[in-house]
Amino acid sequence: MSTVLDNLVSQPYKHGFVTDIESESAPKGLSEDTIRMISAKKNEPEWLLEFRLQAYRHWLTMTEPQWPNVHYPKIDFQAISYYAAPKPKKKLSMDEVDPELLRTFEKLGVPMHERAALAGVAVDVIFDSVSVTTTYKEKLAEVGIIFCSISEAVHNHPELVKKYMGSVVPAGDNFYAALNSAVFTDGSFCFIPKGVKCPMDLSTYFRINTQDSGQFERTLIIAEEGAKVSYLEGCTAPQFDTNQLHAAVVELVALDDADIKYSTVQNWYAGDENGVGGIYNFVTKRGLCKGHNSKISWTQVETGSAITWKYPSCVLLGDNSIGEFYSVALTNHMQQADTGTKMIHIGKNTKSTIISKGISAGRSNNSYRGLVKIGAKADGARNFSQCDSMLIGTQCGANTFPYIQVNNPTAKVEHEATTSKIGEDQLFYFQSRGIPTEEAVSMIINGFCKDVFQQLPMEFAVEATKLLGLKLEGSVG
Amino acid sequence: MNVTATHPYVAALLAGSGALPKSPAAWLDARRAAALERANALAVPTTRDEEWRFTDLTPLTKLQVQPVTTAVKVSAGDVAAHAVPEAAISLVFVDGVPAPELAQRGALPAGVTVIALTDALKSHAALVEPHLGKLAGNEPAGDDLFTALNTAFLQHGVFIHLANNAQLKAPIHLLFVAAGNGVATYPRCLIVAEGGAEACVIEDYVALGEAAYLTNAVTEIAVAPNASVRHIKLQRESQKAFHISTCAVTLAKDARFQSHAVTLGARLSRNNLNITQQGEGAQIEIDGLALIGGRQTADTHTLMDHTKPHGTCKQTHKTIVGGAGHAVFNGKVFVREGAQLTDSSQQSRNLLLSDKAHVDTKPQLEIFADDVKCAHGAAVGQLDADHLFYLKSRGLPEAQARNLLTYAFGAEIIDHIPVPSLVAVLEKLVMARTEAGV
C-alpha cells in the first residue's frame, strides 16, 4: 500500500517545460502607473481605465483574507510583473504563428487544428496574457455567438462588456477580485444571443508561461433568454520554483430560461513533494441566475496547484432557477485545497445540488467549505449537498466546513458528508478477481468520483479520468 | 488584580471582581488572577469572530449586570415545583449563591461527595486542585471571554467527586434559581469521576420571575478510565435573560460520557460543549434539543476532539424554531493524527415553524487519520405534508396534528433522558410551547 502511495506521490509533473519565446514584460510592481500602462498597451477606452483605477483604490484599502484553511508565505504584490505578452509579430494566419508556440501546445497534447476540427471544439488559446489565435470564430458568428478575448470584446462590443462586467463579481467583492479588476490582462468573452443553442462546446486553454508573471484572467459569459452553452476550461503550467499567483475572475450571467454549463479541469504545477514551487490558485467564480428558469452548472476537477482556493458559486435570483456544483478535488504531496461553493437562494422554488468529492494523499490538506443560504423570500427552495472525502495515507487531512443558513420555513435543505478510506476488503475483492492493486485503486477512485465525471463533457471526462490515474499512479496499493 | 480591560463592557463586567473575598487556596487566587488578565485582554466577541458569526451579542452589551450583593429571599415553596423526586441529593443556588436551607440531602453511598465548592476548597483541596480551571479555557476552540470571566469570578459552585468504583444510580440535582434583576452569576461545577465510577448529574437553570440577568456558567468534568458520567442540562431561564455556558469534558481510556441538553429559555443562550477524548476507546453520546420562539436566540457549539484511537461519538442535535426565533448550531469533530478507527457521527435536524424563524447550522469535520468512519448530516425543513394529511385523515384538527408532529420531532431527544419525572416535565413544557405556537 505505502509503496504504491510513494510511487503515486512521486510522479513527476509531466507538463513541465518552459517555452523560450521572448516576452514583453512589465517591470515588477503595482501602482496606478502600472495600471495606466496596461490600459494604454491594450489601447483601452477611458471607462475601463476608470474601472481599473477604482478597483485598485479599493484594493489598497483591503486586507488579505486570513480565514481559509491554507498556509503560505506572504505574497509580495510588488514583486510580481503584472503584464507579459509574447513579442508582437504580425500574424496573418495559423501558419505564421510562432512555431515555438505551436510546439508548446503540441507537447501539451493540444494540436490546435486537429483538436478544433476533430473534437468540434473552438479553442481560444491564451498564452500568458494575450490571446494569440481564435478558431472557429466565423462558424460561431453565423449563429450570432460572440466568442473572443475580452480585450477584443472591449473594442468591438463595449456596450455588452460595460453592462455585464462587474455585475456578478463587483470590483470590490474581495481582495483578489479587486486585484484582478485592477490589473486583468486578458481572458475570454462569450455572448450567446436570445434563443441560440451553441452548436459546439466552447473551450479555452490556459498556460502560464513567463516566470514570475501572475496571471489575471477575466472571463465573462452571458447567455440571453433561452440560450444554452457549455464552456470548457483546462489548464496546465510549466514547472517553476517560484510560486506564481493566479487570481482569475469568472462571471456568468444567465437570463430567462438560459442554461450555462462551465467545466474546469485544473492541473497546474503543484510544487514538488516538499511543497517547493507551485501555483497559487486564488479564483473568484460566480454565476448569476438572473432570469426565471435559468440554470448554471459548475463542474470542476482540481488536481493541480500548490494552493487551490476557490468557490464557484450560484446566485439564484430568478424564480425556479437551478444551481449545480460538481467537484472532484485531489491533493497530494504538500498541496492544499480549500474549495467548495456558495448557493444563494433568493428566488422562489430555486433548487441547488452540491456534489463534492475530496481525495487527499501524501501530506496534503483538502477542505470543503460551502454555504447554502435560503433567503426569506425563497419559498419552496430546495438544496441537496453531499460531500465525501477519501483519505489515502496517514499524514493527510480532510475537512468539511458547510454553512447552512435558512430564513424560510418552506425550504428543504439536506447536507450529508462522509469520510472513508479504500477498504482492505474492497482491495481484496478486486485482487481475488485477478485485478492488480493499482488498477483496483484507480477503479475505486473513479467509482468514488463517478457522480462528478458523469457531468463532464466527453473529452474532459476522458482527460479527467487519466489525470487522476496519472496523479495517483503508483501511490496506492 | 486590576481591571485594565479596554473594552468598556468587559471592564463593566469585571468591575465587581475586586470585591471577591480571598480564596482559601493561593493556587486558586493565582488562577483567578490569570483569568482576569486574560479577560482584560479580550473584547466581547462580535459576528466578525468565526465562533460568534451567527449570534450577535449586542443585546447583552446593552444590559448592565453586576455580581449579586444582596440575595433575594427564596422560600422552599418557590422552588418546590422544580424538585426532582428521583434525585439522591439536590443542591440549590439562588443567583449563584448556595442556599443550603433549600437543599434536599439524602444518604449518599460511600465514596460519593457532593458539596459546595467553597467547602470543597477547604476539605478536598487536593482533589479539586488538579482539575479546577484546568479543563475549561484550554480548548482548541481558543480563548473564550466568558470562560475567563467565570474563572475570574470563581467562588461559588459545586464539587462532585466519585471515588474509585463509587456508583450512584439516582441523579444528583443541581438547581440554579434566578431571582434578582440586573445580576450576573458565575456558577462553577466540577465533576470528577475516578476509575470505574458512575453518576448522573442534572444541571437545572430556572427563573422565578421575568428578570433580565446574565448567567455565565462553567462546568468541568473529568472522567477517569472506565468511569461513566451522564450530564443533563435543562435551561429554562427567563425570556429576558442571557445564558452563556461552557462545559468542558475530558475522557480517559474506555470512559463514557452522555450529554443531554435541553434549551427552552433565555432571550439569548449559548451552550458550548467541548469534549476531549484523551484515552482510547472512549464512548460519547451527545443529545441536544432547542425549542424556541418569540425573539429568542439559541446557539449551541460543540467540539468533539478525538485524539486517541477507537473512540465513538454519536451526536444528534435538534431545533424547533417558531416566531422570530433564531437557532444556531456548530458541531466540530476533530480526528487527530493517529486517532484511527474513530467512529463519529453527527446529525443536525432543524424544524422551522414560521416565516420569520431562521436557522444557521454548520457541522464541521476536520480529519487527520485515514482509517476512520465519520459522517455528518444536516437538514432543515418543515413538517411533512404527508404526515399532516395522515393525521387529519384520522380526524385530528390541523392545529392538533401540527402540535403532535412537532412534539414527536423533539420527543426523540427527551425520551432518551433516563429520569422519568424530568421527561414528564419536559413533555408538558414542550406540549404547552407547541400548542402556543412556540
Side-chain angles (χ1 to χ4, degrees):
Chain A
M1 183 87 177
S2 68
T3 49
V4 184
L5 240 166
D6 289 345
N7 292 340
L8 220 148
V9 174
S10 51
Q11 274 295 307
Y13 185 72
K14 290 195 176 167
H15 296 308
F17 47 84
V18 179
T19 315
D20 194 10
I21 302 181
E22 285 178 82
S23 81
E24 184 189 22
S25 289
K28 288 179 179 181
L30 180 56
S31 65
E32 290 205 7
D33 290 339
T34 322
I35 292 164
R36 282 178 208 282
M37 191 277 264
I38 294 171
S39 195
K41 280 250 182 211
K42 300 176 70 62
N43 204 9
E44 284 175 355
E46 189 58 32
W47 62 266
L48 191 54
L49 175 64
E50 204 40 51
F51 176 85
R52 287 174 181 278
L53 289 174
Q54 264 180 14
Y56 174 68
R57 283 167 201 150
H58 191 79
W59 178 74
L60 287 177
T61 66
M62 299 171 102
T63 49
E64 254 175 280
Q66 299 296 327
W67 50 264
N69 192 20
V70 296
H71 307 279
Y72 54 92
K74 212 167 156 45
I75 297 169
D76 181 358
F77 291 96
Q78 296 303 335
I80 296 171
S81 161
Y82 286 86
Y83 185 76
K87 277 255 165 111
K89 294 173 188 164
K90 283 270 177 216
K91 287 171 199 118
L92 298 170
S93 71
M94 283 292 283
D95 303 333
E96 287 171 74
V97 174
D98 194 330
E100 191 74 17
L101 197 62
L102 288 178
R103 265 198 295 278
T104 306
F105 287 114
E106 244 144 83
K107 272 195 231 172
L108 275 173
V110 201
M112 236 179 302
H113 326 282
E114 287 98 39
R115 192 187 167 103
L118 293 176
V121 173
V123 181
D124 174 19
V125 182
I126 296 189
F127 195 89
D128 270 42
S129 313
V130 168
S131 250
V132 180
T133 179
T134 307
T135 46
Y136 271 92
K137 209 186 275 179
E138 286 94 38
K139 202 165 174 188
L140 293 171
E142 268 171 42
V143 285
I145 293 174
I146 305 166
F147 181 40
C148 59
S149 73
I150 206 139
S151 356
E152 271 178 68
V154 166
H155 289 113
N156 301 337
H157 310 282
E159 70 297 338
L160 287 175
V161 179
K162 211 171 166 178
K163 183 171 174 192
Y164 289 108
M165 194 165 72
S167 71
V168 184
V169 180
D173 186 75
N174 64 62
F175 186 79
Y176 290 101
L179 179 64
N180 175 289
S181 300
V183 302
F184 72 92
T185 40
D186 217 330
S188 298
F189 175 83
C190 181
F191 176 81
I192 322 290
K194 203 166 169 174
V196 171
K197 306 253 182 295
C198 187
M200 65 190 85
D201 290 347
L202 302 180
S203 164
T204 157
Y205 226 88
F206 293 80
R207 195 164 160 79
I208 300 177
N209 196 279
T210 308
Q211 195 157 5
D212 276 341
S213 79
Q215 275 229 334
F216 301 94
E217 295 96 356
R218 186 112 197 165
T219 303
L220 177 57
I221 299 175
I222 302 141
E224 279 202 330
E225 288 86 348
K228 188 173 177 180
V229 62
S230 166
Y231 188 89
L232 282 61
E233 175 201 65
C235 346
T236 53
Q239 187 154 1
F240 282 135
D241 259 344
T242 41
N243 288 304
Q244 290 186 306
L245 174 66
H246 182 95
V249 170
V250 176
E251 293 176 283
L252 313 182
V253 182
L255 302 184
D256 287 357
D257 305 304
D259 184 340
I260 302 177
K261 187 179 170 72
Y262 193 105
S263 314
T264 310
V265 171
Q266 188 258 108
N267 181 28
W268 279 325
Y269 179 51
D272 65 11
E273 55 267 46
N274 297 315
V276 177
I279 306 287
Y280 291 173
N281 187 19
F282 300 164
V283 180
T284 309
K285 288 184 169 180
R286 195 175 300 153
L288 174 63
C289 285
K290 203 171 179 183
H292 295 186
N293 310 317
S294 53
K295 179 179 172 187
I296 288 179
S297 174
W298 298 98
T299 308
Q300 59 172 22
V301 177
E302 302 284 333
T303 63
S305 294
I307 302 174
T308 300
W309 176 11
K310 68 170 192 180
Y311 313 96
S313 310
C314 295
V315 180
L316 304 171
L317 185 64
D319 291 351
N320 310 318
S321 56
I322 299 174
E324 291 177 341
F325 175 76
Y326 298 94
S327 164
V328 167
L330 179 137
T331 54
N332 204 341
H333 299 306
M334 297 290 284
Q335 273 178 280
Q336 303 173 61
D338 193 315
T339 183
T341 185
K342 290 187 201 175
M343 293 291 172
I344 318 285
H345 293 254
I346 300 168
K348 293 187 186 7
N349 300 316
T350 45
K351 290 190 178 61
S352 62
T353 306
I354 300 170
I355 307 283
S356 165
K357 308 278 180 180
I359 303 165
S360 356
R363 283 174 289 161
S364 67
N365 211 330
N366 200 332
S367 307
Y368 168 83
R369 188 187 301 275
L371 167 71
V372 175
K373 188 170 186 169
I374 312 285
K377 300 251 166 67
D379 292 341
R382 184 85 178 80
N383 162 270
F384 175 77
S385 311
Q386 190 180 342
C387 312
D388 297 329
S389 312
M390 186 182 275
L391 293 129
I392 301 174
T394 52
Q395 289 177 297
C396 48
N399 313 307
T400 16
F401 306 92
Y403 292 74
I404 300 168
Q405 300 175 19
V406 181
N407 290 314
N408 188 305
T410 62
K412 238 185 169 163
V413 179
E414 287 172 83
H415 173 94
E416 283 172 26
T418 61
T419 300
S420 57
K421 68 170 214 162
I422 297 176
E424 294 295 327
D425 44 347
Q426 285 173 313
L427 284 177
F428 179 76
Y429 178 81
F430 274 94
Q431 281 168 327
S432 73
R433 302 280 152 150
I435 298 166
T437 313
E438 199 161 302
E439 214 170 299
V441 166
S442 152
M443 285 167 85
I444 291 170
I445 289 179
N446 274 313
F448 179 70
C449 303
K450 195 185 76 188
D451 294 343
V452 176
F453 287 168
Q454 275 175 347
Q455 300 297 327
L456 286 171
M458 187 58 183
E459 310 86 324
F460 261 30
V462 174
E463 201 176 315
T465 313
K466 270 196 204 149
L467 248 181
L468 286 201
L470 188 118
K471 279 268 167 180
L472 291 176
E473 220 165 72
S475 87
V476 198
Chain B
M1 294 242 285
N2 287 319
V3 177
T4 56
T6 46
H7 191 287
Y9 193 69
V10 176
L13 283 178
L14 285 170
S17 66
L20 275 182
K22 218 171 147 53
S23 83
W27 56 264
L28 182 57
D29 284 327
R31 282 177 207 178
R32 274 192 201 160
L36 178 64
E37 277 317 303
R38 267 211 312 283
N40 272 332
L42 294 168
V44 172
T46 67
T47 50
R48 297 190 66 84
D49 295 289
E50 184 63 28
E51 286 299 304
W52 291 86
R53 195 184 157 102
F54 302 113
T55 303
D56 186 4
L57 283 173
T58 312
L60 171 64
T61 58
K62 290 184 178 142
L63 177 72
Q64 290 307 318
V65 287
Q66 278 304 311
V68 63
T69 41
T70 46
V72 179
K73 269 277 157 229
V74 172
S75 71
D78 292 333
V79 297
H82 299 299
V84 175
E86 294 93 337
I89 179 168
S90 182
L91 296 187
V92 182
F93 294 78
V94 176
D95 289 333
V97 181
E101 70 282 5
L102 300 173
Q104 309 271 339
R105 291 170 187 282
L108 292 175
V112 179
T113 311
V114 182
I115 51 172
L117 199 54
T118 36
D119 299 333
L121 287 168
K122 292 172 199 143
S123 56
H124 294 74
L127 293 173
V128 175
E129 195 275 334
H131 303 288
L132 190 68
K134 291 243 167 133
L135 308 186
N138 295 315
E139 298 96 339
D143 242 349
D144 179 56
L145 169 70
F146 296 96
T147 305
L149 280 171
N150 181 290
T151 308
F153 283 97
L154 206 163
Q155 185 185 10
H156 292 304
V158 182
F159 174 62
I160 298 174
H161 183 260
L162 300 140
N164 276 331
N165 298 318
Q167 299 194 340
L168 178 61
K169 296 283 178 216
I172 296 163
H173 185 216
L174 309 174
L175 185 65
F176 297 90
V177 182
N181 205 19
V183 172
T185 65
Y186 300 97
R188 183 76 158 215
C189 301
L190 174 62
I191 303 168
V192 179
E194 305 288 1
E198 199 178 322
C200 167
V201 179
I202 303 168
E203 253 183 75
D204 196 356
Y205 294 86
V206 299
L208 290 183
E210 277 303 300
Y213 54 88
L214 166 68
T215 303
N216 178 5
V218 172
T219 300
E220 293 171 295
I221 304 175
V223 192
N226 235 347
S228 171
V229 171
R230 187 187 293 272
H231 181 244
I232 301 169
K233 189 181 166 219
L234 285 188
Q235 191 263 95
R236 291 179 271 170
E237 304 272 19
S238 93
Q239 295 284 325
K240 288 185 194 152
F242 293 83
H243 179 96
I244 295 170
S245 73
T246 295
C247 178
V249 185
T250 57
L251 297 173
K253 191 170 185 295
D254 298 322
R256 290 179 301 285
F257 178 71
Q258 284 148 315
S259 162
H260 308 261
V262 180
T263 299
L264 299 168
R267 156 93 178 74
L268 185 155
S269 66
R270 163 72 169 237
N271 233 348
N272 297 312
L273 176 60
N274 304 320
I275 304 175
T276 314
Q277 181 210 334
Q278 293 177 335
E280 286 185 24
Q283 295 165 35
I284 299 115
E285 277 174 47
I286 309 168
D287 276 356
L289 173 68
L291 172 69
I292 51 167
R295 300 192 52 77
Q296 284 181 283
T297 298
D299 181 348
T300 299
H301 271 56
T302 62
L303 191 161
M304 180 63 238
D305 194 356
H306 294 280
T307 69
K308 287 278 158 34
H310 290 282
T312 62
C313 176
K314 193 170 174 298
Q315 179 174 15
T316 312
H317 186 79
K318 291 195 166 189
T319 69
I320 303 172
V321 193
H326 179 198
V328 180
F329 174 70
N330 171 226
K332 297 187 191 72
V333 175
F334 295 163
V335 180
R336 304 281 177 182
E337 216 176 311
Q340 300 290 16
L341 298 164
T342 295
D343 183 351
S344 198
S345 73
Q346 180 182 72
Q347 291 296 326
S348 161
R349 297 264 172 265
N350 305 279
L351 183 60
L352 290 181
L353 296 177
S354 78
D355 292 349
K356 296 222 171 76
H358 67 289
V359 168
D360 294 302
T361 175
K362 184 187 161 209
Q364 182 175 333
L365 283 176
E366 297 194 31
I367 298 168
F368 300 93
D370 66 338
D371 196 1
V372 300
K373 234 169 86 181
C374 284
H376 66 199
V380 183
Q382 53 185 336
L383 295 174
D384 192 308
D386 291 344
H387 297 174
L388 267 178
F389 178 77
Y390 175 81
L391 289 180
K392 284 198 279 186
S393 75
R394 300 283 150 150
L396 260 71
E398 165 101 20
Q400 209 176 336
R402 296 191 82 89
N403 291 341
L404 201 60
L405 287 173
T406 309
Y407 168 71
F409 179 83
E412 192 190 324
I413 302 291
I414 294 172
D415 290 350
H416 270 185
I417 299 174
V419 183
S421 71
L422 275 189
V423 173
V425 167
L426 283 171
E427 276 177 0
K428 243 188 245 162
L429 272 172
V430 171
M431 253 342 213
R433 292 290 288 271
T434 55
E435 267 162 35
V438 182

